[in-house]
């Protein structure tokens, strides 16, 4: 199985808002208690639900933000989330790469220094 980098930490707990069948694959709509984790959620990105790396199939931003995941038959056999129902909670760990990028871009991080260096080099190359 593929996935993303996971550490086994729980960033927040989320509630299953709905479970809608799509053929033989249930679609879970998830809403986290700690809304700050939503900045790491992107469609076709990854999130960990109860310890299993799952692809995000849909994300709704705005006042009532949520995301959806679909569990294919193979995944349903391997994860505990498949047995859960509307109103139940799941443990959430967001993709750690997003956390690293955010940290690097935040105030004097490595990414900011790299961007400044690149701009300086481009300005020198163009005679400015």
């Amino acid at each position: 199985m593929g996935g993303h980098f996971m550490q086994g930490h729980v960033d927040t707990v989320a509630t299953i808002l709905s479970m809608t069948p799509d053929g033989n694959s249930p679609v879970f709509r998830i809403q986290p208690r700690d809304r700050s984790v939503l900045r790491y959620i992107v469609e076709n990105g990854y999130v960990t639900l109860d310890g299993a790396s799952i692809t995000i199939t849909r994300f709704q931003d705005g006042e009532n933000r949520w995301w959806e995941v679909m569990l294919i038959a193979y995944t349903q056999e391997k994860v505990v989330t498949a047995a859960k129902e509307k109103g139940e909670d799941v443990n959430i760990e967001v993709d750690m790469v997003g956390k690293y990028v955010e940290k690097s871009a935040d105030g004097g991080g490595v990414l900011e220094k790299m961007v400044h260096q690149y701009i300086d080099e481009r300005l020198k190359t163009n005679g400015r």
Side-chain angles (χ1 to χ4, degrees):
M1 295 181 84
H4 70 283
F5 296 112
M6 299 185 308
Q7 296 178 305
H9 300 296
V10 176
D11 292 315
T12 190
V13 173
T15 302
I16 298 171
L17 297 179
S18 65
M19 193 286 289
T20 308
D22 185 354
N24 67 349
S25 299
V27 175
F28 288 88
R29 183 168 290 178
I30 310 288
Q31 187 173 62
R33 288 186 192 158
D34 178 1
R35 303 294 172 91
S36 70
V37 301
L38 289 162
R39 67 182 179 269
Y40 305 111
I41 303 297
V42 295
E43 282 189 28
N44 299 314
Y46 300 106
V47 67
T48 302
L49 299 181
D50 290 332
S53 175
I54 307 290
T55 302
I56 299 160
T57 57
R58 189 170 170 208
F59 174 69
Q60 175 65 47
D61 205 355
E63 188 174 321
N64 295 312
R65 298 178 289 181
W66 47 260
W67 71 84
E68 291 181 344
V69 297
M70 177 183 281
L71 302 182
I72 61 172
Y74 178 83
T75 304
Q76 290 175 57
E77 296 172 2
K78 308 291 181 192
V79 301
V80 298
T81 306
K84 294 195 173 182
E85 298 178 4
K86 177 182 176 180
E88 291 191 72
D89 290 335
V90 291
N91 292 318
I92 301 294
E93 180 185 357
V94 295
D95 192 349
M96 143 177 126
V97 173
K99 293 178 186 178
Y100 284 133
V101 170
E102 181 181 63
K103 183 177 181 180
S104 294
D106 192 21
V110 175
L111 183 60
E112 183 179 2
K113 290 176 185 173
M114 289 172 52
V115 169
H116 283 287
Q117 182 180 2
Y118 175 78
I119 291 170
D120 290 343
E121 289 173 5
R122 295 294 294 173
L123 290 173
K124 288 177 188 174
T125 302
N126 293 325
R128 297 183 182 156

